[in-house]
Amino acid sequence: DTAVSQTPKYLVTQMGNDKSIKCEQNLGHDTMYWYKQDSKKFLKIMFSYNNKELIINETVPNRFSPKSPDKAHLNLHINSLELGDSAVYFCASSQDRLRDTEAFFGQGTRLTVV
Amino acid sequence: GDSVTQMEGPVTLSEEACLTINCTYTATGYPSLFWYVQYPGEGLQLLLKATKADDKGSNKGFEATYRKETTSFHLEKGSVQVSDSAVYFCALRSFTGNQFYFGTGTSLTVIP
């Protein structure tokens, strides 16, 4: 069983389109995250949800909107896609109460905007 | 605020060479420290971790020791293999918060 799964793995779309990336974790974790990884492999936190509540919202264009229907799911919707949105997006999760435990990552979604 | 600084790459080594990737951190309190590895086309996987001062994390021949006096968590391996070629990330988890702070990643290429 995959602990953190995200779909799709690859996404190629045209500028101006709207797209969504889905993430699910089966670890029973309280907290989920979205990270963006650029071409230089730099990881940037975008959002963090704890028990469906937004707790971290970094400086991200408001074209990006996360949605957490329950604590096992955190989806990312992107409106009006731009060339600069091309990157790999990673979902991750962690257990809130166990501060010495690690974050678990999905396999990533490679988004290419053409 | 909390942060992690790691050695910039890329690093290229011959097989069986020794590896050290430096990582230092800034944090209030007592964070937990991690090394993650990212193989080409994959997500980040935990390589090892240490949760208190003087702890040594180890896995697959890699080691790192949590040094509070120097605020460091350097990754070492005595003899690298071609299969170790990947990007390595140092990270900390804040004791007080629920956020992870990642370094910029160090790309390692091991040549036969």
Side-chain angles (χ1 to χ4, degrees):
Chain A
D1 275 351
T2 304
V4 181
S5 60
Q6 51 183 112
T7 55
K9 187 167 183 181
Y10 300 97
L11 186 52
V12 181
T13 188
Q14 291 188 327
M15 282 175 56
N17 283 352
D18 303 339
K19 290 293 178 186
S20 292
I21 306 171
K22 295 186 176 182
C23 180
E24 175 182 3
Q25 55 94 3
N26 63 5
L27 297 166
H29 287 168
D30 303 298
T31 304
M32 296 184 72
Y33 311 82
W34 277 109
Y35 286 87
K36 179 180 180 180
Q37 186 176 49
D38 63 22
S39 58
K40 295 184 178 179
K41 303 297 185 183
F42 181 67
L43 267 178
K44 179 182 174 183
I45 181 74
M46 300 175 70
F47 302 104
S48 172
Y49 269 75
N50 180 266
N51 281 318
K52 302 193 297 175
E53 186 178 335
L54 180 66
I55 56 172
I56 294 173
N57 183 2
E58 293 294 317
T59 307
V60 175
N62 57 15
R63 298 181 294 105
F64 290 78
S65 54
K67 283 192 171 50
S68 182
D70 56 61
K71 75 173 193 176
H73 296 83
L74 180 62
N75 303 323
L76 183 66
H77 188 75
I78 315 170
N79 288 328
S80 304
L81 278 155
E82 299 178 357
L83 292 177
D85 297 332
S86 295
V88 181
Y89 293 83
F90 286 102
C91 177
S93 72
S94 69
Q95 182 58 265
D96 182 22
R97 282 179 294 278
L98 301 175
R99 297 299 172 88
D100 58 355
T101 56
E102 64 270 25
F104 289 75
F105 281 78
Q107 288 220 311
T109 296
R110 181 173 293 278
L111 172 64
T112 304
V113 183
V114 297
Chain B
D2 295 358
S3 66
V4 173
T5 303
Q6 72 178 93
M7 187 173 99
E8 287 194 21
V11 174
T12 302
L13 296 173
S14 297
E15 207 165 18
E16 298 184 5
C18 294
L19 169 72
T20 299
I21 301 177
N22 291 333
C23 172
T24 56
Y25 68 90
T26 301
T28 52
Y30 303 93
S32 294
L33 302 174
F34 307 88
W35 276 100
Y36 282 83
V37 58
Q38 183 181 24
Y39 298 105
E42 297 185 12
L44 279 72
Q45 306 172 25
L46 180 71
L47 180 60
L48 54 83
K49 69 179 184 182
T51 58
K52 59 183 189 295
D54 300 325
D55 265 4
K56 179 187 281 189
S58 61
N59 186 22
K60 298 181 181 179
F62 291 89
E63 293 182 340
T65 301
Y66 189 142
R67 301 275 188 211
K68 189 160 177 63
E69 64 276 12
T70 54
T71 61
S72 64
F73 192 55
H74 304 321
L75 182 68
E76 298 177 325
K77 187 173 187 183
S79 174
V80 294
Q81 305 300 313
V82 172
S83 57
D84 294 327
S85 298
V87 180
Y88 293 82
F89 292 90
C90 185
L92 75 79
R93 181 172 185 173
S94 170
F95 180 76
T96 56
N98 205 6
Q99 191 170 350
F100 290 80
Y101 297 85
F102 285 85
T104 51
T106 302
S107 175
L108 169 68
T109 301
V110 180
I111 53 177

